[in-house]
């Protein structure tokens, strides 16, 4: 903890940080500082007239205090100390010592920003690992309510699982066991990352029973689509699509290779020639891919492809299941493929 001594118009306040925001604001108001915490700079160079001293005793407090500059404020310091108090002290100390942040606001941003994942071509699964797990017995959890919360609140939730949270207290009626012993829960998810935690508080205001749910937001959105009847089904890739994608990939690889050799400017026509391919070949691939996709649609009865390159002549002729009174040209405004 870091101690703060503030003298303002003959009134003094000595308090330790971190502290709940409302309590700290009331303490500041008690000595006449009726201003937002962000207006209370951690310096005696201020426009309000108060005098301030900082007391740091532990090594981690000294590391933090050494980064305080003129315009850092008590609100930033309180947020930083709150975040540090939620983690492992030794690990936090090591991270702070290794940090090149020059202000406490920069230090807070650095500590709370998830580290970038090392680049890898291997499958990465974000989950939790249990120490010496004896069994894995999944249970059906019925989501009665899904709640998106800011990243800072979500970060606190997954790091402090024994604290009380308003969103749990306010949704007690959503968390219970029914007569068949099914779990009825709330799903709390990070509105930034999309990961979440499913909770059955069982009458408590903290997450008494909970589990980490990766990609919770995506799962929720998919469920809502399915409930609305708009299921997302990824059609299998056709052979012509595969060949087209392979050609695109080969062209990109070739450009990258020559770029590393010092070349800067390229034309797609020249690159395709190097691959023994031209625009006519690409056009044929696109035409065949469109025809193959049309053949997969249940309401299309037949698709005919013409290889003859004749101006103003159709390349794809399509017949639908329904008998139509208007011509294809009338339907799509004269557009032909």
């Amino acid at each position: 903890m870091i101690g703060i001594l503030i003298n303002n118009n003959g009134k003094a306040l000595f308090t330790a940080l971190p502290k709940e925001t409302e309590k700290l604001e009331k303490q500041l108001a008690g000595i006449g500082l009726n201003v937002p915490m962000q207006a209370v700079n951690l310096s005696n160079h201020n426009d309000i007239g108060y005098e301030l001293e900082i007391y740091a005793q532990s090594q981690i407090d000294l590391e933090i205090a050494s980064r305080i500059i003129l315009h850092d404020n008590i609100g930033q310091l309180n947020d930083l100390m709150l975040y540090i108090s939620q983690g492992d002290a030794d690990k936090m100390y090591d991270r702070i010592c290794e940090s090149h942040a020059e202000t406490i606001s920069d230090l807070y941003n650095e500590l709370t920003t998830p580290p970038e994942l090392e680049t890898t071509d291997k499958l990465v699964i974000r989950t939790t690992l249990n120490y010496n797990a004896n069994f894995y017995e999944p249970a059906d959890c019925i989501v009665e309510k899904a709640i998106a919360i800011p990243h800072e609140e979500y970060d606190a939730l997954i790091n402090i699982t024994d604290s009380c949270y308003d969103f749990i207290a306010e949704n007690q009626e959503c968390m219970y066991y029914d007569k068949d012993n099914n779990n009825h829960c709330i799903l709390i998810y990070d509105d930034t990352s999309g990961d979440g935690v499913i909770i059955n508080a069982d009458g408590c205001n903290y997450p008494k029973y909970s589990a980490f749910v990766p990609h919770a937001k995506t799962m929720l959105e998919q469920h809502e689509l399915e409930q609305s009847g708009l299921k997302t089904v990824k059609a299998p890739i056709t052979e012509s699509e595969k060949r087209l994608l392979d050609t695109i990939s080969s062209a990109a690889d070739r450009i990258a290779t020559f770029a590393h050799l010092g070349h800067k400017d390229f034309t797609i026509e020249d690159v395709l020639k190097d691959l023994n391919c031209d625009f006519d070949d690409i056009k044929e691939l696109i035409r065949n891919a469109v025809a193959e996709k049309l053949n997969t649609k249940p309401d299309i009865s037949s698709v005919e492809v013409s290889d003859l390159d004749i101006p103003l002549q159709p390349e794809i002729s399509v017949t639908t299941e329904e008998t139509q009174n208007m011509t294809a040209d009338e339907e799509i405004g004269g557009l032909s493929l």
Side-chain angles (χ1 to χ4, degrees):
M1 292 186 178
I2 284 184
I4 301 291
L5 175 62
I6 306 178
N7 288 286
N8 183 55
N9 294 328
K11 295 182 179 180
L13 167 66
F14 182 80
T15 190
L17 303 180
K19 191 172 292 292
E20 291 182 14
T21 301
E22 292 184 2
K23 290 183 179 180
L24 184 56
E25 289 176 339
K26 287 181 179 179
Q27 287 182 327
L28 293 172
I31 60 172
L33 290 177
N34 294 291
V35 295
M37 289 194 297
Q38 287 69 26
V40 183
N41 293 338
L42 298 172
S43 167
N44 289 320
H45 300 282
N46 59 79
D47 299 328
I48 302 178
Y50 59 83
E51 295 181 353
L52 183 145
E53 295 181 23
I54 298 174
Y55 296 88
Q57 295 182 343
S58 69
Q59 290 297 319
I60 193 169
D61 292 346
L62 292 170
E63 283 290 335
I64 295 169
S66 67
R67 288 170 167 78
I68 295 175
I69 63 170
L70 182 64
H71 298 295
D72 283 333
N73 61 69
I74 195 170
Q76 294 170 328
L77 180 58
N78 192 52
D79 289 342
L80 175 61
M81 296 304 297
L82 178 61
Y83 180 79
I84 291 173
S85 69
Q86 296 169 357
D88 180 270
D90 292 335
K91 291 182 180 179
M92 284 292 183
Y93 177 70
D94 291 340
R95 291 181 63 187
I96 292 171
C97 290
E98 294 169 359
S99 171
H100 297 291
E102 297 180 352
T103 71
I104 60 171
S105 58
D106 289 343
L107 181 59
Y108 177 80
N109 290 333
E110 183 177 313
L111 292 177
T112 56
T113 300
E116 292 186 3
L117 188 66
E118 182 181 354
T119 302
T120 178
D121 58 356
K122 297 181 176 63
L123 175 65
V124 177
I125 300 175
R126 181 173 174 81
T127 185
T128 56
L129 295 177
N130 299 317
Y131 176 72
N132 278 353
N134 295 319
F135 62 91
Y136 298 101
E137 186 178 354
D140 291 332
C141 297
I142 301 170
V143 178
E144 294 291 340
K145 188 174 184 179
I147 304 171
I149 59 176
H151 175 72
E152 293 77 11
E153 293 184 29
Y154 177 78
D155 196 53
L157 172 64
I158 63 175
N159 283 287
I160 307 180
T161 58
D162 58 352
S163 288
C164 295
Y165 295 93
D166 290 341
F167 49 74
I168 295 179
E170 294 167 358
N171 292 281
Q172 287 290 337
E173 72 282 357
C174 298
M175 296 172 285
Y176 59 92
Y177 296 97
D178 60 25
K179 60 182 178 63
D180 296 319
N181 209 32
N182 292 316
N183 285 281
H184 293 254
C185 307
I186 60 173
L187 177 64
I188 307 297
Y189 64 92
D190 184 344
D191 63 3
T192 301
S193 72
D195 291 335
V197 177
I198 194 163
I199 299 170
N200 183 353
D202 193 27
C204 301
N205 290 339
Y206 66 91
K208 185 175 181 180
Y209 300 102
S210 62
F212 173 69
V213 182
H215 311 301
K217 183 179 180 181
T218 301
M219 294 170 61
L220 180 66
E221 291 172 346
Q222 178 65 25
H223 175 73
E224 291 174 346
L225 276 174
E226 292 176 355
Q227 290 299 107
S228 65
L230 301 174
K231 294 186 178 180
T232 57
V233 179
K234 187 175 182 180
I237 189 169
T238 67
E239 184 61 31
S240 294
E241 281 182 298
K242 184 178 184 303
R243 290 173 56 198
L244 181 60
L245 291 174
D246 288 343
T247 302
I248 294 172
S249 179
S250 297
D253 290 342
R254 191 166 186 82
I255 290 174
T257 298
F258 279 92
H260 286 297
L261 295 175
H263 295 268
K264 179 180 178 182
D265 300 315
F266 305 88
T267 65
I268 295 299
E269 186 175 5
D270 288 339
V271 175
L272 290 177
K273 286 181 180 179
D274 290 340
L275 297 174
N276 295 320
C277 180
D278 58 26
F279 282 117
D280 288 337
D281 296 323
I282 298 298
K283 180 181 177 181
E284 181 181 355
L285 285 175
I286 294 175
R287 182 186 62 209
N288 291 340
V290 170
E292 290 170 0
K293 282 291 185 184
L294 284 169
N295 271 318
T296 65
K297 295 182 178 297
D299 55 344
I300 301 295
S301 60
S302 69
V303 179
E304 295 181 6
V305 178
S306 174
D307 295 328
L308 299 177
D309 189 9
I310 302 175
L312 303 179
Q313 293 299 311
E315 297 179 15
I316 298 178
S317 298
V318 180
T319 304
T320 62
E321 294 290 348
E322 301 87 0
T323 301
Q324 299 176 342
N325 296 323
M326 60 182 70
T327 66
D329 284 346
E330 289 173 332
E331 287 183 30
I332 58 177
L335 177 63
S336 61
L337 297 174

